[in-house]
Amino acid sequence: MAILVLGGAGYIGSHTVDRLVEKGDKAVVVDNLVTGHRQAVNKNAKFYQGDIADQEFMRHVFLENPDLDAVIHFAAFSLVAESMTNPLKYFDNNTAGLIKLLEVMNEVGVKKLVFSSTAATYGIPKEMPIKETDSQEPINPYGESKLMMEKIMHWSDLAYGIKFVALRYFNVAGAKPDGSIGEDHHPETHLLPIVLQVAAGSRDKLKIFGNDYETPDGTNVRDYVHPYDLADAHILAVDYLRAGHESTAFNLGSSKGFSNMEILKTAREVTGKAIPAEFAPRRPGDPDTLIAASDKAKTILGWNPQFDDIHKIIATAWKWHSTHPNGYEDGR
Ligand code: UDP
């Protein structure tokens, strides 16, 4: 048995491939390298460069690897702000891309799919922490494109028997503890990488978007989860489907909230750097607080996150950023 990892050269995908290889599992990786990095892919995984919407190419990948029985799908765009100005890019790549993928999976008879969904499918939550059964009313096209993916999966399960697990991530942060793989987006828009780029001297200062939110210190509160822990949840979700269980969705977060100011303060402690910062206007589409209830993943999947301390998470990210101030361009 082997697992096909789509988007395996991206941030979370590359950590998952690494974990699979470490466990001795066979991983086949597909990535179009539009945002992914070839150097991020563990050398013991088989790599194909191509697009998941290219059905001829995907048929070829499945035919060449007849032992594939499950797919983990990370190949999507994920920037809220970009989705607001270019929604069709998100509905085309994320939503229509899934349809193309499912057609081929159905054709070749591979009927297990674990895929990245998001806390952004919930929109503005009415209660905290957020449970899987809470209403899903996205407030941006990114969240909408992922909710549409969940719905397409539901009907494809009923019609074609393609079983799925949708994993709704909260905020992902951190890197492989040895600092050899990590987060590298162009342009970078996420809080922790930006904070640590300022610490590493490759950026002048941090702008904190909004300090008048309904939170204890006025800055947004988010729930941070390490890519290793996410990777393990994906692998457990494949086991869950292989055991013949029903399709479902799980939240993945630490169930603890940290404000943007708390992240900055902790990063100053971890790095020992000043990290200049200033307040700036709110960013459109940011809910006040997002914290996950993750009991379902713990109970049903047996998920046991190891990086349960924000200091530890930031320390792993710093190991990556301090040794790769220009990301993978450093060629190390
Ligand atoms: N944020 C910020 N300055 C930045 C980048 C992000 O203040 O340069 C804030 C953002 O407004 C949000 C939090 O950091 O409150 C997390 O944002 P990020 O883009 O990392 O993740 P998202 O929550 O959008 O998935």
Side-chain angles (χ1 to χ4, degrees), residues 171 189-191 194 207-209 220 222 260 283 286:
N171 286 60
T189 63
H190 293 109
L191 179 66
I194 289 178
K207 288 190 170 156
I208 298 176
F209 301 139
N220 285 150
R222 295 288 180 268
N260 295 342
R283 190 178 68 173
D286 277 337

Side-chain angles (χ1 to χ4, degrees), residues 2-6 28 30 46 48 52 54-72 100-113:
I3 300 177
L4 180 61
V5 185
L6 307 176
V28 177
V30 163
K46 192 165 172 185
Y48 291 88
I52 63 154
D54 178 347
Q55 293 186 318
E56 266 317 298
F57 160 71
M58 289 300 290
R59 275 188 201 103
H60 166 78
V61 171
F62 280 109
L63 283 178
E64 270 201 4
N65 299 280
D67 50 350
L68 289 171
D69 73 317
V71 177
I72 305 182
K100 298 265 188 241
L101 168 68
L102 291 175
E103 284 171 353
V104 175
M105 284 177 63
N106 192 36
E107 205 179 291
V108 300
V110 173
K111 299 208 173 187
K112 296 177 193 69
L113 180 73

